[in-house]
């Protein structure tokens, strides 16, 4: 049985090292796959599950000149609840210690290299030197002092020699080998020069001794080691920043928890000691320690760190709570369900960690080059030395060029080009709620040509909602009625009926009346109220999703239920019963026909609603048609905007659904999908993806169990975070915010990362292609040469530049765009556009918050953005919150918003239907009563909330 194991690898310094370790491990019997991450000094191994294989891996890697130790999670051995971040935290500590060690080496190197450089080069620049270093008689003192100053630099950086020669002798030379060879050659040449000085002075040949004193090369050895160490120091600091995203995720994990013991006493314990079944106390302002269920009390929990949703969620008994979320208000006791490495946060950290440990296909080229890079460079250096000696340039010149070739060559830049960009890119994605499971998925996503989206739960909300209610005027109030037709019907959303009873019903004309048009909304008449009460009473007895949608709609409007008798569910038809003594029917047209109910007068409206993809339910009372209720699975607020952004990026969008053609095309028109494929069974989705792949790279976006095969088949599977576990497991990318706007954001992130990788690879390759020939002396005929000190400086800069370029990805943000109204929806109100403009001026991404929508929840039309660019906000000095009663729909929201913003001093009003509240943002003090009167004049009740 295949198992995975992570190894901590020591001794790696460059891409040649990681390539050697990976090749060695892959050659061990029982190993199926091995991936080495140079940045994290780790290796992920898939093996046959035999413990002997792990031992063999460690032995093989050690034989190759490195160290490999299987990683054991902290606390696992003791049976404790291991910390979800312990391995990562341990790596962070190890990296910090290594950085401190490099810093100390750098200080020692500079302390001795500076006087060495001054002593060796001072006479060339006319710098003053002590008398005992001047003159022919002091040449031996001059040379030996330089040698003594070099020794501390060698000892401080002895790691280069130890690792470099060790890997060289094992047949796997790396960057350290190049540095060690170059520094050793310079040092040995200098020591020989000291003997030559002594030999010349002993025989009275001062000229010979003087020539030897001018060719010591001790300063070159010291400068090579010091500048390489300086580069390593800057590289370590830059590489540390690439893991900022993981560090920030780890910081979210609560460190302690308050546990209630069996005797009722409370104690604060480390989060690692929490066990499943423990009762924990969470007070206002505290973080939820682990995942669990509320068993007592309640609170308002901010889940933005996990879901990205900024609005706090009410939690009560039975509600699930997630570790690392914050209880803003209230108090509750919870039972721990998932702890340690099993929590949602631990899963996110693990997913990001695994993604950064994986390799993108584009990295294979760099790995192949790195595997042979160092041996080829050594061969070039030897060839350079031989050629210069052959042309009679002398040992000093030949050695200088050979050393320059050794120290200027940089396999590190090549090895860091891809993993640094992958590390930063996946980190930025995680920070924005986009979890990429592998580097391969991140690379593949940049080439997506077609995005296939499941309709239910992905494009739409996934649950039916009441869209329109039509009531026959006077149909069953007891008054004389003309209910034998719909000629006099009251429509809550029909065109031209602005003066009819619409106040109780949510649509209130939203399908036929422009959102910018002022509408008077009188209170609902008795017929409409009675009809909704009848429908509510009857549907309350049913568990059908459509019935539950009507119940939720009525309860949200405070409708009272009536007594129901003789209730009966008619299979495939609907419901039958006695409501307050009146015979009632609710269901489809077939049921109406069986009950001899004449629906001819309503067929026109029913057909119109059906053409819009809505499900129509007929309601009859005492043998006469009383009204219709239309329901639909509505598109999510920003589905249309997300698909429009994908189209702008040149990506074809295809909606995939099992619904009928009419419903599918209705949704297609509203969200703007390029194509729609309807009537597809769950098992047929995978076949559709297979066919589309013949036209190019395909990404599939889904959320359900039935989407799992298609997600797995697609080149890139993208799962909605609120979807099923099976869908998430089958996907390559998970959108934690469950927002379709993150689909174009994920592709944009992939494109930015790949662009950065290609830049890194280009500069790493072009650096070596140009610098190695120059260092070898190819341009000496033109007077262009590089001495070893300049070569060492160039080599250090190359790695730092590649890492620094990757760090530019830290500035990536999702493209900000506002939602666009669909063809069948009203245009956004003009006064909504300035809000989006002000949000953009403030640097707020309009696709991630309320700034992408106007106050009534309607998407901001792109057509309004240009004409409001000059709007300048006034300073907000205070905010006042009001409780508003009587709002039933988004048009009510628009009226309240307009009324408040008509008050002088109110710069912006934010109205929320769900909480029946309004927040007035004021640029000057406005009396509470003035705000209340403005809302009352609009036809609603209001009071200021303290």
């Amino acid at each position: 049985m295949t198992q995975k194991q992570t190894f901590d690898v020591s001794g790696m310094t460059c891409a040649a090292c990681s390539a050697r370790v990976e090749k060695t491990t892959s050659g061990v019997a029982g190993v199926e796959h091995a991936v080495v991450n140079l940045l994290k000094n780790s290796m992920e191994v898939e093996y046959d599950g035999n413990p002997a294989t792990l031992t063999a891996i460690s032995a093989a890697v050690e034989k190759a000149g490195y160290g490999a130790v299987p990683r054991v999670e902290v606390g696992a051995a003791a049976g404790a609840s291991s910390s979800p971040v312990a391995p990562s935290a341990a790596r962070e500590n190890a990296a910090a210690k290594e950085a401190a060690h490099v810093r100390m080496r750098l200080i020692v190197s500079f302390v001795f290299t500076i006087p060495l450089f001054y002593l060796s080069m001072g006479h060339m620049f006319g710098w003053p030197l002590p008398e005992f270093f001047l003159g022919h008689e002091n040449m031996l003192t001059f040379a030996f002092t330089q040698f003594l100053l070099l020794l501390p630099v060698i000892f401080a950086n002895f790691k280069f020699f130890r690792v470099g020669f060790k890997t060289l002798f094992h047949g796997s030379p790396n960057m350290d080998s190049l540095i060690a060879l170059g520094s050793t050659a310079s040092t040995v040449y200098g020591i020989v020069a000291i003997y030559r000085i002594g030999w010349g002075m002993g025989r009275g040949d001062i000229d010979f001794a003087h020539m030897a004193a001018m060719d010591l090369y001790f300063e070159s050895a010291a400068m090579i080691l010091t500048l390489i160490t300086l580069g390593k120091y800057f590289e370590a600091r830059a590489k540390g920043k690439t893991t900022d995203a993981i560090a920030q995720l780890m910081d979210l994990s609560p460190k302690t928890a308050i546990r209630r013991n069996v005797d009722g006493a409370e104690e604060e314990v480390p989060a690692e000691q929490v066990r499943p079944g423990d009762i924990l106390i969470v007070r206002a302002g505290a973080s939820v320690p682990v995942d669990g269920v509320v068993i007592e009390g309640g609170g308002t929990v901010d889940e933005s760190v996990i879901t990205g949703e900024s609005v706090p969620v009410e939690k009560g008994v039975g509600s699930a709570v997630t570790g690392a979320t914050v209880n803003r208000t209230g108090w509750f006791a919870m039972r721990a369900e998932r702890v340690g490495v099993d929590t949602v946060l631990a899963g996110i950290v693990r997913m990001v960690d695994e993604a950064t440990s994986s390799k993108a296909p584009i990295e294979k080229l760099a790995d192949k080059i790195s595997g042979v890079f160092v041996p080829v460079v050594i061969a070039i250096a030897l060839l350079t030395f031989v050629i210069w000696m052959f042309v009679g340039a002398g040992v000093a010149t030949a050695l200088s060029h050979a050393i320059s070739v050794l120290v200027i060559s940089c396999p590190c830049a090549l090895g860091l080009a891809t993993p640094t960009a992958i590390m930063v890119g996946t980190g930025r994605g995680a920070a924005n709620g986009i979890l990429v499971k592998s580097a391969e998925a991140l690379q593949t996503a940049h080439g997506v040509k077609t995005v296939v989206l499941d309709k239910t739960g992905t494009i739409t909300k996934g649950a039916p909602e009441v869209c329109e209610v039509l009531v026959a005027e006077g149909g069953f109030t007891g008054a004389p009625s003309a209910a034998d037709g719909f000629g006099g019907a009251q429509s809550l959303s029909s065109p031209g009926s602005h003066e009819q009873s619409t106040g109780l019903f949510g649509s209130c004309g939203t399908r036929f009346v422009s959102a910018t048009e002022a509408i008077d909304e009188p209170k609902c008449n008795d017929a409409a109220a009675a009809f909704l009460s009848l429908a509510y009473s009857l549907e309350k007895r049913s568990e059908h999703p459509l019935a539950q949608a009507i119940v939720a709609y009525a309860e949200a409007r405070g409708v009272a239920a009536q007594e129901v008798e003789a209730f009966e569910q008619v299979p495939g038809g609907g419901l039958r019963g006695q409501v307050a003594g009146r015979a009632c029917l609710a269901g489809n047209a077939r049921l109406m026909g069986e009950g001899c109910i004449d629906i001819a007068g309503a067929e026109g409206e029913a057909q119109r609603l059906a053409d819009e993809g809505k499900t129509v339910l007929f309601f009859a009372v005492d043998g006469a048609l009383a009204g219709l209720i239309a329901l639909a699975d509505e598109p999510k607020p920003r589905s249309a905007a997300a698909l429009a952004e994908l189209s702008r990026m040149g990506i074809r969008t295809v909606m995939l659904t099992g619904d009928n053609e009419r419903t599918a095309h209705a949704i297609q028109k509203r969200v703007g999908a390029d194509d729609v494929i309807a009537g597809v069974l769950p098992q047929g989705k995978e076949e559709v993806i297979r066919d589309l792949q013949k036209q190019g790279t395909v990404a599939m976006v889904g959320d359900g169990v039935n989407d799992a095969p298609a997600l797995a088949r697609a080149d890139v599977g993208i799962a909605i975070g609120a979807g099923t576990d099976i869908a998430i497991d089958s996907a390559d990318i998970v959108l934690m915010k469950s927002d379709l706007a993150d689909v174009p954001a994920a592709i944009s992130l992939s494109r930015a990362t790949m662009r950065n990788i290609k830049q890194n690879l280009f500069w790493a390759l072009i650096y070596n292609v140009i610098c190695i020939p120059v260092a070898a002396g190819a341009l000496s005929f033109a007077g262009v040469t590089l001495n070893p000190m300049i070569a060492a400086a160039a080599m250090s800069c190359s790695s730092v530049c590649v890492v620094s370029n990757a760090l530019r990805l830290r500035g990536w943000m999702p493209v900000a765009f506002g939602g666009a109204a669909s063809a069948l929806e009203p245009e956004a109100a003009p006064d909504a556009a300035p809000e989006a403009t002000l949000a953009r001026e403030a640097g707020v991404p309009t696709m991630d918050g309320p700034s992408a929508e106007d106050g009534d929840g309607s998407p901001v039309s792109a057509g309004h953005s240009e004409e409001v660019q000059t709007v300048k906000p006034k300073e907000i000095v205070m905010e006042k919150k009001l409780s508003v009663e009587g709002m039933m729909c988004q048009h009510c929201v628009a009226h309240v918003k307009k009324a408040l913003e008509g008050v002088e001093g109110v710069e912006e009003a934010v109205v929320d239907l769900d909480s029946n509240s309004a927040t007035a943002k004021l640029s000057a003090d406005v009396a509470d009563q003035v705000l209340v009167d403005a809302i009352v004049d609009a036809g609603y009740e209001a009071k200021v909330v303290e």
Side-chain angles (χ1 to χ4, degrees):
M1 179 179 178
T2 302
Q3 295 184 14
K4 286 186 177 182
Q5 177 63 52
T6 302
F7 284 79
D8 289 316
V9 183
S10 58
M12 295 191 302
T13 58
C14 68
C17 300
S18 60
R20 179 67 177 179
V21 172
E22 191 169 297
K23 183 178 180 180
T24 300
T25 304
S26 298
V28 174
V31 173
E32 297 180 7
H33 185 60
V35 177
V36 176
N37 189 293
L38 177 62
L39 277 174
K40 300 193 301 187
N41 290 314
S42 66
M43 176 172 62
E44 301 291 333
V45 178
E46 294 182 9
Y47 70 108
D48 56 10
N50 187 347
T53 303
L54 300 181
T55 304
I57 292 172
S58 298
V61 172
E62 185 174 352
K63 185 177 180 181
Y66 306 91
V69 179
R71 182 180 298 167
V72 179
E73 292 178 347
V74 177
S81 166
S82 59
S83 168
V85 298
S88 296
R91 290 199 303 272
E92 290 292 320
N93 293 334
K97 291 180 181 179
E98 177 63 21
H101 182 60
V102 173
R103 182 171 179 269
M104 181 57 65
R105 285 168 44 197
L106 182 62
I107 292 173
V108 172
S109 298
F110 269 118
V111 165
F112 290 94
T113 298
I114 292 174
L116 172 57
F117 185 82
Y118 185 95
L119 179 61
S120 63
M121 308 296 288
H123 62 282
M124 296 178 59
F125 297 100
W127 296 338
L129 291 173
E131 286 289 334
F132 54 84
F133 288 131
L134 301 176
H136 297 308
E137 66 278 8
N138 294 317
M139 284 189 293
L140 200 56
T141 305
F142 173 79
F144 194 69
T145 302
Q146 291 185 47
F147 177 64
L148 292 178
L149 289 172
L150 171 63
L151 290 178
V153 180
I154 290 177
F155 288 134
N157 297 284
F158 196 72
K159 178 182 178 181
F160 290 130
F161 299 90
R162 184 180 68 252
V163 176
F165 285 118
K166 181 180 180 181
T167 55
L168 181 63
F169 295 149
H170 281 89
S172 56
N174 60 6
M175 186 199 71
D176 288 347
S177 303
L178 299 179
I179 297 169
L181 287 172
S183 299
T184 300
S186 297
T187 302
V188 171
Y189 185 82
I191 293 173
V192 171
I194 290 178
Y195 280 98
R196 292 174 64 202
I197 293 171
W199 188 87
M201 292 182 69
R203 285 163 175 71
D205 191 346
I206 301 300
D207 290 337
F208 180 84
H210 184 266
M211 288 179 60
M214 293 300 100
D215 259 342
L216 291 173
Y217 272 92
F218 289 134
E219 78 284 353
S220 293
M223 287 299 290
I224 289 171
L225 294 172
T226 301
L227 291 175
I228 296 297
T229 303
L230 177 64
K232 286 291 181 183
Y233 175 67
F234 285 130
E235 182 183 318
R237 291 187 59 185
K239 284 161 62 176
K241 293 178 182 179
T242 65
T243 59
D244 280 354
I246 295 179
Q248 291 167 4
L249 286 172
M250 292 191 301
D251 288 342
L252 296 175
S253 180
K255 305 301 183 289
T256 61
I258 299 177
R259 183 169 59 193
R260 178 194 288 172
N261 296 325
V262 290
D263 58 359
E266 297 177 2
E267 64 172 338
E268 186 173 359
V269 297
E272 291 82 1
Q273 295 183 11
V274 176
R275 303 289 186 276
D278 284 354
I279 305 302
L280 308 176
I281 306 300
V282 182
R283 299 187 174 91
S287 295
V288 178
V290 297
D291 299 354
V293 177
V294 177
I295 60 172
E296 182 183 350
T300 304
V301 178
D302 180 357
E303 298 181 332
S304 58
V305 296
I306 300 296
T307 65
E309 194 63 49
S310 59
V311 180
V313 180
E314 293 289 338
K315 299 290 184 179
V317 175
S319 298
V321 288
T322 306
T325 57
V326 180
N327 181 28
R328 294 300 182 191
T329 60
W331 172 100
F332 61 84
M334 60 172 286
R335 181 177 63 251
E337 299 277 340
R338 294 185 298 274
V339 302
V341 295
D342 296 325
T343 63
V344 171
L345 177 63
I348 293 174
V349 173
R350 185 165 53 250
M351 191 179 296
V352 175
D353 198 30
E354 289 175 354
T356 57
S357 298
S358 62
K359 283 191 176 183
I362 196 173
E363 196 171 352
K364 293 179 181 178
L365 171 63
D367 287 345
K368 290 180 179 179
I369 296 174
S370 298
V372 298
F373 185 87
V374 175
V376 169
V377 168
I378 293 175
I380 293 174
L382 289 173
L383 182 62
T384 299
F385 181 83
V386 171
I387 291 175
W388 280 105
M389 289 297 293
F390 179 77
V391 299
V395 176
T397 301
L399 186 62
S400 176
H401 285 299
I403 293 173
S404 294
V405 169
L406 288 173
V407 299
I408 204 170
S409 305
C410 187
C412 265
L414 201 58
L416 293 172
T418 300
T420 50
I422 294 292
M423 181 82 76
V424 179
T426 52
R428 286 307 301 157
N432 287 276
I434 302 169
L435 298 184
V436 183
K437 291 186 177 181
S438 69
E440 182 177 359
L442 190 63
Q443 175 176 336
T444 305
H446 93 285
V448 167
K449 300 299 182 185
T450 303
V451 172
V452 180
L453 305 103
D454 175 56
K455 180 183 78 70
T456 305
T458 301
I459 292 178
T460 65
K461 297 176 182 177
E465 294 180 351
V466 174
C467 302
E468 296 190 40
V469 179
L470 298 173
V471 183
E473 186 174 13
F476 54 93
T477 59
S481 170
D484 56 347
F486 259 67
Q490 295 195 34
S491 171
L492 303 182
S493 57
S494 59
S497 61
H498 302 160
E499 297 181 1
Q500 296 174 7
S501 58
T502 58
L504 183 62
F505 303 101
S507 58
C508 296
T510 55
R511 296 296 171 220
F512 303 92
V513 182
S514 171
T516 60
E517 182 179 345
I519 305 173
D520 293 326
E521 298 195 23
K523 300 297 181 182
C524 180
N525 64 18
D526 293 341
F531 171 72
L532 191 56
S533 175
L534 175 146
Y536 169 48
S537 302
L538 194 60
E539 299 288 353
K540 192 175 182 181
R541 295 291 189 92
S542 174
E543 295 297 325
H544 194 280
L546 295 179
Q548 293 304 306
I550 295 174
V551 169
Y553 179 82
E555 288 180 346
R557 287 149 183 80
V559 175
Q562 302 179 57
E563 183 180 352
V564 178
E565 297 177 345
F567 176 79
E568 178 186 356
Q569 296 195 47
V570 181
L575 307 174
R576 179 184 291 120
Q578 296 281 334
V579 179
R582 311 185 72 170
C584 299
L585 276 179
N588 56 25
R590 182 173 65 82
L591 182 65
M592 296 297 113
E594 292 175 356
C596 299
I597 307 298
D598 183 11
I599 61 171
E603 285 180 347
E605 287 292 341
Q607 185 63 43
R608 173 185 66 81
L609 295 169
D611 288 341
E612 294 174 7
K614 298 170 184 174
T615 300
V616 180
L617 296 182
F618 298 87
F619 290 82
V621 178
D622 293 336
L625 186 64
L628 311 178
I629 295 181
L631 303 97
D633 182 7
E634 291 288 279
K636 293 179 180 178
R638 291 200 292 169
S639 292
L643 268 65
E645 177 65 12
L646 287 170
S647 296
R648 188 196 66 77
M649 296 169 69
I651 298 172
R652 175 190 176 200
T653 54
V654 178
M655 187 177 76
L656 198 60
T657 178
D659 281 345
N660 58 64
E661 291 279 352
R662 185 164 58 182
T663 300
H665 283 290
I667 297 296
Q668 179 194 14
K669 290 179 182 178
R670 295 182 61 184
V671 299
D674 295 325
D675 295 294
V676 61
I677 302 176
V680 181
L681 297 175
Q683 59 269 29
K685 291 184 178 181
E686 189 264 352
E687 295 177 5
V688 171
I689 298 296
R690 192 193 303 269
D691 291 338
L692 290 173
Q693 284 176 324
K694 298 175 183 177
Q695 305 171 27
T697 306
V698 176
M700 169 70 190
V701 186
D703 71 325
V705 173
N706 61 344
D707 297 324
L711 288 169
R713 164 60 59 184
D715 298 291
V716 181
I718 303 176
I720 299 297
T724 63
D725 290 343
I726 294 177
I728 292 174
D729 289 343
S730 302
D732 303 300
I733 299 174
V734 180
L735 308 181
M736 291 299 294
K737 295 189 228 177
S738 300
D739 188 349
L740 270 189
D742 285 338
V743 174
I747 297 174
S748 172
L749 173 63
S750 172
R751 291 179 176 180
T753 303
M754 288 306 300
R755 185 164 54 247
N756 192 280
I757 288 173
K758 290 175 181 177
Q759 291 169 353
N760 287 345
L761 287 174
F762 172 79
W763 288 114
L765 288 170
I766 204 68
Y767 163 84
N768 285 292
V769 168
I770 293 176
C771 290
I772 291 177
V774 173
L779 299 180
S780 295
F781 67 92
V784 178
T785 58
L786 292 176
N787 66 43
M789 288 183 288
I790 296 177
M795 184 270 192
S796 299
C797 289
S798 64
S799 296
V800 175
C801 289
V802 166
V803 177
S804 298
N805 184 55
L807 288 177
R808 293 192 305 110
L809 279 173
R810 297 172 72 196
W812 177 88
M813 288 293 292
V815 177
F817 62 88
S822 68
L824 298 181
E825 292 182 343
E827 294 183 6
D831 60 347
E835 296 173 28
T837 303
L838 300 186
R840 286 194 295 272
E841 292 176 355
V844 179
T846 56
M847 68 181 286
D848 286 335
S851 57
E853 298 178 347
D854 64 13
D856 66 355
S858 301
V860 178
S861 172
H864 296 300
S865 60
E866 293 299 325
E867 60 189 80
V868 294
Q869 290 296 323
T870 57
V871 177
K872 299 296 182 183
K874 294 183 180 179
E875 182 180 358
I876 304 300
V877 298
M878 68 176 69
E879 294 184 359
K880 291 189 177 182
K881 188 171 184 179
L882 302 95
S883 173
V884 183
E885 298 295 334
M887 293 192 298
M888 299 298 178
C889 65
Q890 292 296 344
H891 278 284
C892 300
V893 169
H895 278 281
V896 173
K897 176 180 174 68
K898 184 175 181 181
L900 285 173
E901 292 181 347
V903 176
E904 185 176 356
V906 177
E907 290 303 312
E908 180 186 359
V910 179
V911 185
D912 183 62
L913 178 62
D914 293 335
S915 61
N916 288 320
S917 67
T919 301
K921 299 182 179 182
L922 312 177
S923 60
D925 191 12
V926 179
D928 294 352
Q929 194 58 44
V930 173
L931 299 175
V932 171
D933 290 344
I935 296 176
V936 171
D937 291 342
Y940 306 90
E941 299 297 326
K943 64 179 179 179
V944 175
V945 179
E946 296 297 335

